[in-house]
Each structure stands twice: as C-alpha cells, then as structure tokens.
Amino acid sequence: PASELTGGMLSSMREALVVFQAARPGLLAVLCLAAQRGWDQQVWQLNDSMSGSLSILRYVDDLLTIHETALAAARHARDRSAEGRTLINLGHVYAELRRFVEARDCYQQSLAIVREIGDRYGEGSAIHGLGEACAGLGQSEEAIDYYQRALVILRETDDRSAQARVMSDFGGAYRKLRRFEEAIDWCQQCL
C-alpha cells in the first residue's frame, strides 16, 4: 500500500495517487518478474492492487499490460475463475481503447468460462460487456438485448452499482436510436 511506501498514513487520495505514480515503474517491473518466475498468485494480486489507480490516472496501456500478464498467469495456473475475471477486465480495457471487436472476443470467452464455473455475477458482467462492445460497434439494438439479459442477472446478485451502470447504458443506446423517452426513463431509473 502507498502508506507503507511513505512510512505513514496518507492524508488524501491525491497524495496516494502521487505515491502510486512514483512507484508505478517499479510495480510494473515486479509484475513482469513475478510473471517470468511463474508466481501466478502474486501476478493476480499486483494486477488487482494496481488496476484501480492505473484506471484513475488513465494509464490505459499499462492496464492492458497488467491484464494481459494476469490472463497469461491465470491460464498458466489453469485457474478458470481468475481467467474469466481477467478476460472481463481485459475486455473493459479494449473497449476503453475503442477496440470493440477485441473487447467482444474477450467478453465472449469470459462468458463461456463464467457459465462453466457457475459465476452468476461474472455472467452478468460479461453479458453487460457484450452490450457495451455492440454499442461501440454501432449495434444499438443488439446492445439493448444484452443489457436486458445482464440486468436480470445483476438484479439476482443485488449489485446496485452494476445495475445502475447497465441502466445508464440503456439510456445511451436508446438515445442513439433516437428513442428519447425510453432513454430518459432508463436514465431516471439509473439515478
């Protein structure tokens, strides 16, 4: 944690991000070393620890690197759960980079895995991701179909934040279709 690097508690998120930025090159090197040595668990831990800060600081290329490394570690360890989660994260990064075909491929691979292992939350997340990829590809009707399926599952998992993201995406898809009343309705539900 950043507080250990500074020898005490950090007073703000901004201070934590400054410390993280300074430590970022070293953390990336440690991740690569862990991957080279086959320390799969450490790769996943570093991936999980770093991804939030990298996302906030907009280091999208680094996100791509750490998720690709984590995916290789998950496959090396034959950990299907880690592989499914990491494919979803990798899909998000590809979508952020507007590489929607690659994002869709990651979400499809993840969906097969999370269904195989019975991970309902993962299934809802992968299906939601498929909707986002379709929306990015200009396929709003298909996106809406995926959002409907994802929302049913995410309501089962009781993750209100994930449900709100899907509702917001519904609003965007309906807006693109110029179905403004439905877009407003979904955005109000999101709120």
Side-chain angles (χ1 to χ4, degrees):
S3 61
E4 290 177 12
L5 294 173
T6 62
M9 293 296 292
L10 297 173
S11 61
S12 69
M13 173 67 104
R14 181 178 309 228
E15 186 178 345
L17 290 172
V18 167
V19 171
F20 175 82
Q21 246 178 323
R24 182 181 63 84
L27 291 169
L28 290 169
V30 169
L31 178 89
C32 290
L33 178 64
Q36 290 169 357
R37 297 208 172 155
W39 299 342
D40 301 324
Q41 189 66 34
Q42 287 75 17
V43 170
W44 299 324
Q45 288 171 343
L46 282 165
N47 177 62
D48 290 345
S49 296
M50 295 171 62
S51 61
S53 296
L54 289 172
S55 182
I56 290 168
L57 293 167
R58 309 298 307 135
Y59 286 111
V60 183
D61 290 336
D62 287 351
L63 279 168
L64 186 60
T65 298
I66 69 168
H67 291 324
E68 287 174 339
T69 304
L71 180 59
R75 288 178 172 162
H76 176 258
R78 292 184 170 86
D79 186 322
R80 299 293 276 169
S81 178
E83 184 178 359
R85 284 190 316 272
T86 304
L87 281 163
I88 290 170
N89 291 335
L90 191 55
H92 293 329
V93 174
Y94 281 132
E96 182 75 21
L97 292 167
R98 306 196 59 74
R99 293 165 57 179
F100 297 113
V101 172
E102 290 162 290
R104 184 186 60 208
D105 292 344
C106 285
Y107 294 131
Q108 287 172 334
Q109 290 175 55
S110 176
L111 183 58
I113 292 168
V114 296
R115 282 182 172 160
E116 170 190 314
I117 64 175
D119 176 357
R120 288 294 278 170
Y121 180 80
E123 184 177 353
S125 296
I127 292 170
H128 179 215
L130 284 166
E132 290 177 325
C134 285
L137 292 167
Q139 302 164 342
S140 296
E141 293 287 351
E142 292 88 345
I144 289 169
D145 180 56
Y146 281 120
Y147 296 152
Q148 289 170 337
R149 293 168 44 200
L151 190 56
V152 168
I153 294 169
L154 292 170
R155 283 183 172 148
E156 288 174 19
T157 67
D158 204 32
D159 184 330
R160 306 272 295 160
S161 178
Q163 292 171 41
R165 286 190 299 275
V166 174
M167 290 174 187
S168 175
D169 288 341
F170 264 119
Y174 280 116
R175 182 186 54 79
K176 285 181 182 176
L177 292 171
R178 305 190 56 77
R179 293 165 57 181
F180 299 118
E181 287 187 25
E182 289 164 290
I184 290 168
D185 180 53
W186 280 105
C187 290
Q188 286 174 333
Q189 288 183 58
C190 174
L191 287 172

